[in-house]
Amino acid sequence: RPDGGLQSEAGVPEAGAPLDVSVASEAGRFPAEVTVSTCQDFANVPVGSYIVQSDYWNKSACPGTQCMDIDKATGAFTVTQGPAACGNTVASYPNVLYGCAFGNCSPGSLLPMQVSTLSTVTSSWDFHVGGTVSDQYDVAYDIWFCPDEGCGPSGFANGTELMIWLDYKNVTGWQNDLGPVTLAGHNWEVWQATMGSSPSSWTYLAYMIQPSTVTSVADLDL
């Protein structure tokens, strides 16, 4: 998420919830091959220049338990237990963060950086989603743009959140359907919304791939 990294669209912890738990603070003591298992709501596990985050940020509205296994050598993670579907309310956004977002910064990140200085931003990714027919989810990139240097732990006021949905189930776009577009070799339906409230609101753009069956991308031109 430039100005930040790849993180959740509303990854603000609940009041009093810890940001850095023991698995993060003791990360240097783990051998590289060790898998970290955690059911913490806000676990942050550094892996190279990334942070794997459990980010169960909306537990008060969508109660339950979320557990993850995180490979400290590769950053690959598996959600081994998650909260039940919560209607149209987002419950959690387990993610791999690169950059800075909502007070968290990954180690050695080159972000934030002015968009005009970015010449190439590509990404390769593959994933698998299990679960049941009633599950609700999206698998997406979440990229934040800040209008100035004032963004920080409180979010990205007056900025833009760009989500690139690669796989999704039992969920739809939000607010304004801007129609179809073809970019980076794929067809997308684009949605726009205003999130939050003034003076801290931001613009939300979601590019939802068509059809919603992609489970890998190679050198996707973000």
Side-chain angles (χ1 to χ4, degrees):
R1 286 185 154 185
D3 150 318
L6 304 176
Q7 209 243 4
S8 73
E9 68 271 17
V12 181
E14 299 170 0
L19 278 174
D20 295 296
V21 297
S22 58
V23 292
S25 61
E26 298 179 2
R29 296 167 51 189
F30 287 115
E33 69 275 13
V34 166
T35 296
V36 175
S37 297
T38 177
C39 296
Q40 296 275 356
D41 295 341
F42 294 100
N44 291 311
V45 179
V47 180
S49 58
Y50 298 85
I51 299 176
V52 182
Q53 301 184 306
S54 57
D55 198 19
Y56 189 0
W57 64 272
N58 204 15
K59 189 172 186 175
S60 60
C62 303
T65 300
Q66 177 180 273
C67 299
M68 297 172 61
D69 289 341
I70 302 166
D71 187 320
K72 284 193 56 59
T74 66
F77 67 83
T78 300
V79 178
T80 57
Q81 182 177 344
C86 194
N88 291 324
T89 301
V90 179
S92 179
Y93 200 91
N95 67 85
V96 180
L97 169 69
Y98 181 82
C100 296
F102 295 99
N104 286 320
C105 290
S106 62
S109 169
L110 299 177
L111 300 178
M113 184 181 292
Q114 286 189 332
V115 174
S116 61
T117 65
L118 298 171
S119 58
T120 302
V121 183
T122 60
S123 177
S124 300
W125 189 20
D126 64 84
F127 52 88
H128 170 75
V129 180
T132 66
V133 295
S134 62
D135 285 345
Q136 295 173 283
Y137 67 84
D138 70 84
V139 180
Y141 292 91
D142 206 355
I143 304 170
W144 287 92
F145 297 87
C146 187
D148 51 39
E149 296 182 358
C151 297
S154 61
F156 296 81
N158 302 309
T160 297
E161 176 185 10
L162 170 63
M163 292 198 77
I164 304 171
W165 291 32
L166 299 180
D167 188 22
Y168 48 97
K169 182 178 179 181
N170 295 328
V171 291
T172 61
W174 178 246
Q175 284 191 3
N176 304 314
D177 187 354
L178 302 185
V181 67
T182 300
L183 289 170
H186 297 279
N187 297 320
W188 315 83
E189 192 74 13
V190 185
W191 291 78
Q192 180 188 47
T194 298
M195 306 295 285
S197 57
S198 182
S200 300
S201 60
W202 68 94
T203 298
Y204 172 82
L205 290 171
Y207 284 71
M208 301 173 64
I209 204 162
Q210 307 292 317
S212 60
T213 55
V214 172
T215 58
S216 66
V217 289
D219 294 325
L220 181 66
D221 187 355
L222 302 182

